[in-house]
Amino acid sequence: MAATVLNVETAIRLLKDTISELGFEVYPLKVGWYNALLPASLRLAHPDDTLAVVVLSTPAMFEQTFLPFMEDGGFQGLTDPIDQCVKQCISAAVSRCFPGQTVEVSYDYEMLPNRKPKFLAQTAAHVSGAAFYYQQADVTDQPWAEKKMFGVCVHPRFGGWFAIRSLLVFEDVTLGPDVLQPVPPDCVPTREGRIKLLESFNHRWQQDWSYRDVVPPVQTYSQRQRDYFSTLPAQRFALLKTWGFLPKEDQQSEAVSDTQGSHG
């Protein structure tokens, strides 16, 4: 299908109409915006003007999509159930909305043969304008000496109560030179605020999740959702059983995900 048949506006509208009610958000970006921030080994193998779309899950996804997915017996018991649910939703949307289009779909948990991630989720979210990716370099006069501090994305409406799930690359759709890169909202503009955010995320994210409330969120995770994501991945299968969800096959494997992927 030629690029003129499916333009950027149509692609985004179709995706939004299909998955927004499931608790997802979509944000377009140019592949070149993403690649410009990364070394050659981590860049996407597509022309700079190619359309890509990053997909986020909001707090609503758990109740609106994941729990019904489990109730319907969609979980196969071989991989992480959240990952399965997200993949089913996105792959179904791509098949329904873009028949005949070449769309490369990558998920936050997928790795290349060299063990590098298929895409860097937080970088994609930042360049799309979806969420500001706060990193150590964003703090002046750093108080941590040589210590490594991992970065974290903050959504302007959900704070840290969201996850970056997937990247779609539309190989036959391009963005023109008139499309300017959006600037993500800087929700934590002060040095003190950024220090508090990074320290909370790096030192206490499993204990209190306070980094997620760095901005007043319009919605947070329900208690059931918090219980799920605060449970270690290897123990979530047992938790789901206590909730009455049984997989079709009594098997499980641990799932490994990046910092704003399947841990929520």
Side-chain angles (χ1 to χ4, degrees):
M1 186 179 294
T4 53
V5 176
L6 178 67
N7 58 33
V8 175
E9 293 75 16
T10 300
I12 300 304
R13 177 179 56 79
L14 288 172
L15 267 180
K16 285 183 176 179
D17 289 349
T18 304
I19 65 175
S20 61
E21 63 182 15
L22 301 177
F24 295 98
E25 292 185 342
V26 299
Y27 295 85
L29 62 135
K30 280 186 180 182
V31 165
W33 301 342
Y34 175 90
N35 284 347
L37 298 182
L38 300 173
S41 61
L42 293 174
R43 293 172 187 163
L44 300 173
H46 300 282
D48 284 350
D49 61 354
T50 304
L51 170 67
V53 176
V54 65
V55 181
L56 315 180
S57 62
T58 72
M61 188 274 288
F62 195 82
E63 274 77 21
Q64 291 179 195
T65 301
F66 177 63
L67 293 184
F69 168 81
M70 296 301 300
E71 290 168 356
D72 292 342
F75 176 45
Q76 297 296 315
L78 295 175
T79 56
D80 183 90
I82 286 282
D83 293 344
Q84 285 189 44
C85 175
V86 170
K87 185 173 185 178
Q88 177 177 293
C89 291
I90 294 177
S91 60
V94 170
S95 297
R96 185 183 312 120
C97 297
F98 312 112
Q101 271 285 339
T102 304
V103 184
E104 179 182 281
V105 184
S106 301
Y107 297 96
D108 65 285
Y109 55 85
E110 290 183 320
M111 307 293 284
L112 296 168
N114 61 7
R115 301 308 298 163
K116 293 182 183 294
K118 282 195 171 182
F119 79 102
L120 297 184
Q122 299 197 97
T123 300
H126 184 90
V127 299
S128 73
F132 198 109
Y133 184 21
Y134 292 96
Q135 302 180 73
Q136 191 166 355
D138 295 315
V139 176
T140 58
D141 300 321
Q142 297 173 17
W144 308 296
E146 301 300 318
K147 184 177 180 180
K148 170 70 175 178
M149 300 293 283
F150 293 97
V152 61
C153 274
V154 175
H155 190 288
R157 295 175 59 243
F158 299 113
W161 301 98
F162 76 105
I164 305 156
R165 298 296 182 185
S166 182
L167 184 74
L168 283 56
V169 178
F170 291 78
E171 297 186 8
D172 301 320
V173 183
T174 60
L175 288 159
D178 57 320
V179 178
L180 301 179
Q181 182 175 344
V183 177
D186 185 358
C187 306
V188 190
T190 68
R191 174 180 178 272
E192 293 74 16
R194 292 177 181 184
I195 290 173
K196 182 177 179 181
L197 169 66
L198 292 180
E199 290 185 345
S200 177
F201 177 69
N202 280 265
H203 301 154
R204 299 182 299 278
W205 72 267
Q206 289 180 305
Q207 288 80 23
D208 62 17
W209 289 5
S210 61
Y211 80 91
R212 297 180 186 267
D213 292 318
V214 66
V215 297
V218 298
Q219 185 181 16
T220 65
Y221 291 174
S222 65
Q223 186 57 55
R224 202 177 201 190
Q225 187 170 185
R226 296 182 194 213
D227 292 343
Y228 181 84
F229 285 119
S230 62
T231 300
L232 293 174
Q235 299 170 2
R236 291 173 184 171
F237 184 84
L239 177 64
L240 290 169
K241 278 195 169 184
T242 68
W243 290 355
F245 299 127
L246 296 175
K248 293 180 180 178
E249 299 174 10
D250 192 19
Q251 303 177 39
Q252 74 173 109
S253 63
E254 294 187 19
V256 179
S257 58
D258 74 8
T259 55
Q260 273 184 294
S262 296
H263 81 272

